[in-house]
Amino acid sequence: MTTQIQILSTPLEIQSAIYWIMSPESGGIDIFIGTVRNTTKGKAVIRLEFEAYEPMALAEMEKIVTQAEEKWPIQKALIHHRTGVLEIGEIPVLIAVSAAHRAAAFEACRYIIDTLKQTVPIWKKEIFEDGEVWVAAHP
């Protein structure tokens, strides 16, 4: 299996991720695109700020992809995560998975994003009109 795992301070590029994940062997590709929304629990969000403990975050992402590969016959997996200040509508996370069949791609992609939210050391600060709060990026 081939992987591409990155933590970037620059905007994530959806089309580049799609081109990378495609292969002649892949009959199914699943992509999750996380975006910054304008509200959290009814409060207006101004922007988000992401920080990561990169060595541990990258190692944990590798581990998650290995676990997904053990569960499903996937061919390629991509995880890109942003750090820094992100405005409403920007993309903090991209997950892409390719497999011979769609079911494996769907299930592995969901597993990767759900597990990433639980285990990867990435934090976000939510900035509201009336204050700010640090929270786990992936509660």
Side-chain angles (χ1 to χ4, degrees):
M1 187 184 65
T2 306
T3 63
Q4 187 179 103
I5 298 171
Q6 299 177 344
I7 296 174
L8 303 159
S9 60
T10 56
L12 304 185
E13 298 182 19
I14 297 168
Q15 196 59 55
S16 293
I18 292 170
Y19 287 141
W20 185 88
I21 203 74
M22 294 176 76
S23 72
E25 302 80 26
S26 299
I29 294 172
D30 193 60
I31 300 171
F32 173 78
I33 303 168
T35 58
V36 177
R37 63 182 178 271
N38 63 1
T39 60
T40 295
K41 298 179 183 175
K43 292 181 73 170
V45 173
I46 305 300
R47 69 181 177 279
L48 299 180
E49 296 179 15
F50 288 86
E51 289 187 9
Y53 179 55
E54 288 192 32
M56 184 183 261
L58 292 168
E60 186 63 28
M61 289 178 193
E62 290 280 354
K63 182 174 138 188
I64 292 166
V65 169
T66 298
Q67 291 168 345
E69 181 184 22
E70 291 168 358
K71 295 174 183 286
W72 299 279
I74 58 178
Q75 295 160 336
K76 288 184 173 183
L78 174 145
I79 303 174
H80 290 178
H81 207 297
R82 278 284 303 272
T83 56
V85 176
L86 281 81
E87 303 297 329
I88 304 305
E90 288 193 278
I91 300 169
V93 65
L94 266 175
I95 309 291
V97 177
S98 63
H101 303 284
R102 69 181 179 273
F106 274 116
E107 292 170 20
C109 189
R110 182 172 190 126
Y111 174 83
I112 291 169
I113 188 61
D114 288 350
T115 308
L116 184 143
K117 287 181 169 193
Q118 296 170 4
T119 65
V120 176
I122 297 175
W123 303 273
K124 73 177 172 185
K125 184 192 302 182
E126 294 179 317
I127 292 84
F128 303 102
E129 293 172 336
D130 62 350
E132 56 191 46
V133 62
W134 280 101
V135 295
H138 310 293

